[in-house]
Amino acid sequence: VLFDAANLLDVFADNGLLPSAPRRASNGVTATTPIERSMLAARRLVSPRFFSTAADGSVEDGLFNVPSEGPVLFVGNHQLFGLDGVHIVEEFLRERRLALTPLVYPPLLADESPLAPLPYPLPGSAAMLRRFGGEPAGAKTLIAALKRGAKALVFPGGAREVFKRKGEAYTLRWPSDSSALVRIAAKFNATIIPFAGVGGDEFFGNEAYALDTDDLLTMDNRVGEFLRNRTESLVSLVDGDTFVPPLMAPNAAPRRNYYLFGRPFHTTAVDPANADACDALYGAVRTQVELQVEYLLQRRGDDPYDDFVK
């Protein structure tokens, strides 16, 4: 895992982030802050497995089939409370020594949470996200990332999928007209890699919901008023992506997490000025993510360690 099995100085130097930094012999970086210890504990609890798709379409263990040459745009579904982003970034560091650039919902990078004094996100989250390359989500940030050849990690559903409503497990809430992602990728001949993750939406099952985001926002009391006042001026990237986490309790036995990275979509032949071509490719990427979600949900039963209750 990232916090105790990766030498970050080496990883950052390999990716040009510390070009003049000296190498240091080390067994890795240990989790020294409360948020890092929490992320490490969460990873151990859900024991994620990662798969990638070979050129012949076969699914193989590990991430070694994922291309890394040139600018890359990873596009996939977001799971409840967004721990999937942390898992993906640290796995690429650990297994491929490859630093991703995760595009993060901007309020998560603020030193003070918009919901303060409520403890969400957890204290230290912004510093941790910045430490591991997190940048505010948006078109300008994506353009800059791909222009410099970065490997950008994007969740089109953003906070809308992180704060799913009741009954929305593994439902994509992507903007219907977000082919701008494809236009930007095509402008820089970036490779688009669709990915899917499952398990996170069941860390908190539907039966564990007390109040979802909509319930909390429509409360006719001081709590509802506080949440509305604190979030009404925040940036919105997806319809309904209000920065209000649901009120719920974790399952006693969470499911194991699985991630699948599909075959790449190349954009070298896509004209970024051709709206129809960009729309078609955006739709194909979304469909592929949905198919990969279904594949993981069907195949995870083959893993004897999928359900900890068994």
Side-chain angles (χ1 to χ4, degrees), residues 63-192:
L63 297 174
F64 289 97
N65 289 304
V66 179
S68 60
E69 295 299 320
V72 177
L73 178 60
F74 294 97
V75 182
N77 66 304
H78 225 344
Q79 298 179 73
L80 198 60
F81 283 93
L83 294 182
D84 43 9
V86 177
H87 294 163
I88 291 169
V89 168
E90 65 183 11
E91 187 66 16
F92 271 94
L93 284 171
R94 185 190 68 82
E95 186 176 333
R96 294 289 301 274
R97 297 175 63 81
L98 187 65
L100 305 189
T101 300
L103 270 59
V104 179
Y105 185 56
L108 287 172
L109 296 173
D111 289 325
E112 182 177 52
S113 169
L115 301 180
L118 299 180
Y120 188 87
L122 294 175
S125 294
M128 181 190 69
L129 291 171
R130 290 194 297 265
R131 180 184 179 198
F132 297 110
E135 298 183 9
K140 291 183 178 179
T141 305
L142 180 59
I143 289 171
L146 296 182
K147 185 176 181 179
R148 66 176 184 264
K151 323 305 175 189
L153 176 64
V154 174
F155 297 95
R160 180 60 182 82
E161 289 180 3
V162 169
F163 299 145
K164 289 182 174 68
R165 278 49 162 183
K166 298 171 185 175
E168 289 187 351
Y170 305 117
T171 301
L172 268 59
R173 293 296 179 184
W174 294 12
S176 59
D177 59 349
S178 193
S179 58
L181 277 175
V182 173
R183 293 198 298 273
I184 294 172
K187 181 177 180 180
F188 298 99
N189 293 328
T191 300
I192 300 176

Side-chain angles (χ1 to χ4, degrees), residues 51-60 62 65-66 260-264 292:
F51 302 91
S52 56
T53 308
D56 63 2
S58 60
V59 174
E60 300 179 357
N65 289 304
V66 179
L260 172 60
F261 290 79
R263 284 188 288 185
Q292 289 174 198

Side-chain angles (χ1 to χ4, degrees), residues 202-223:
E202 290 146 297
F203 195 92
F204 301 86
N206 280 329
E207 68 279 1
Y209 273 88
L211 297 168
D212 67 18
T213 300
D214 292 340
D215 294 330
L216 291 164
L217 285 170
T218 56
M219 293 178 69
D220 187 19
N221 55 28
R222 294 177 63 183
V223 173

Side-chain angles (χ1 to χ4, degrees), residues 25-50:
S26 170
N27 291 326
V29 176
T30 57
T32 58
T33 66
I35 184 63
E36 289 178 356
R37 286 193 288 270
S38 296
M39 295 300 101
L40 179 57
R43 180 185 172 103
R44 287 173 172 165
L45 184 63
V46 300
S47 186
R49 292 191 65 187
F50 293 82

